Amino acid sequence: PINNKVYCANYNSNNMTVIDGATNSVITTITVGGFPCALVYNSISNKVYAANALSYTVTIIDGATNTVITTIAAGNYPQALVYNPTNNKVYCANSWSDDVMVIDGVTDSVITTINVGDYPHGFVYNATDNKVYCANSGSGNVAVIDGATNGVITTIAVGSYPCALVYNPTNNKVYCANRISDNVTVIDGATNSVITTIAVGSYPCALVYNPTNNKVYCANE
């Protein structure tokens, strides 16, 4: 939003495309690591972070100049990122090492690494309570991380192979798509307890929140 740009991670070509938001034209292409599969934007420091799954790295890009600031080592197969604007931190899920790396948004140094469940696959940030939710696909649960202390508050059992999360700030709820059990778990953001489980279509794989009508949409493969 600061420079009106859109970034696209190109998984098989090991780069990312920068698009002008006004003209829809390509500004440049930036070489990153092997198989970039997730991007997140740091609105405070105007940086873009790319998780490079097969080079086990995170590339950090200057949002103004489109140049690489640095590349830092991550865990095994980093494939999800989320940004915490309250504490200016970036979280990176390392799926094959079953942990989450916390990156300082100012210094781009690793603050700590948090052990979570098996095969962490997706994130969402709860701005109301300053929590990060991590869907652990291999263990069928969601780890709740304190955004201030980086400690795991609790782990919530959900359905089989949770793979996507979305946050509803209107009602302070988190929705978790469970790919193998064909349902969505609704979590209370204040208490971290399961409110209900909703049957959806086959292989739910993505969620999005509509703030205008207070609805959540689930894509079923």
Side-chain angles (χ1 to χ4, degrees):
I2 293 175
N3 300 108
N4 194 16
K5 296 175 185 175
V6 175
Y7 301 81
C8 175
N10 305 308
Y11 189 76
N12 286 324
S13 53
N14 302 334
N15 59 30
M16 59 188 293
T17 303
V18 185
I19 302 166
D20 187 302
T23 65
N24 300 319
S25 59
V26 174
I27 298 170
T28 189
T29 301
I30 306 167
T31 299
V32 291
F35 284 21
C37 62
L39 299 173
V40 76
Y41 178 63
N42 176 338
S43 56
I44 294 174
S45 305
N46 194 19
K47 298 173 185 174
V48 176
Y49 297 74
N52 307 306
L54 288 192
S55 60
Y56 299 173
T57 59
V58 173
T59 301
I60 301 157
I61 297 147
D62 187 303
T65 65
N66 304 316
T67 56
V68 174
I69 298 170
T70 189
T71 299
I72 61 176
N76 293 342
Y77 206 83
Q79 73 160 345
L81 297 165
V82 74
Y83 179 59
N84 170 355
T86 304
N87 301 106
N88 196 9
K89 297 175 186 175
V90 173
Y91 302 79
C92 175
N94 303 307
S95 292
W96 292 352
S97 51
D98 302 334
D99 57 32
V100 170
M101 183 173 72
V102 185
I103 304 167
D104 187 299
V106 176
T107 65
D108 298 322
S109 58
V110 176
I111 299 169
T112 189
T113 301
I114 307 165
N115 292 321
V116 289
D118 294 339
Y119 205 77
H121 192 88
F123 279 129
V124 77
Y125 177 66
N126 174 343
T128 303
D129 297 306
N130 192 19
K131 298 173 186 174
V132 174
Y133 296 77
C134 178
N136 304 308
S137 295
S139 53
N141 58 36
V142 173
V144 184
I145 301 167
D146 188 302
T149 68
N150 304 316
V152 175
I153 298 168
T154 190
T155 301
I156 306 165
V158 291
S160 181
Y161 205 88
C163 63
L165 298 164
V166 75
Y167 179 61
N168 170 352
T170 303
N171 300 108
N172 194 12
K173 295 176 184 175
V174 174
Y175 299 78
C176 176
N178 305 306
R179 183 177 171 84
I180 303 301
S181 53
D182 300 339
N183 55 31
V184 171
T185 302
V186 185
I187 301 167
D188 187 300
T191 64
N192 301 317
S193 58
V194 173
I195 299 170
T196 190
T197 300
I198 306 165
V200 291
S202 299
Y203 301 119
C205 59
L207 298 167
V208 72
Y209 176 66
N210 172 351
T212 304
N213 300 108
N214 193 22
K215 294 177 182 175
V216 173
Y217 297 81
C218 176
N220 308 302
E221 278 191 356

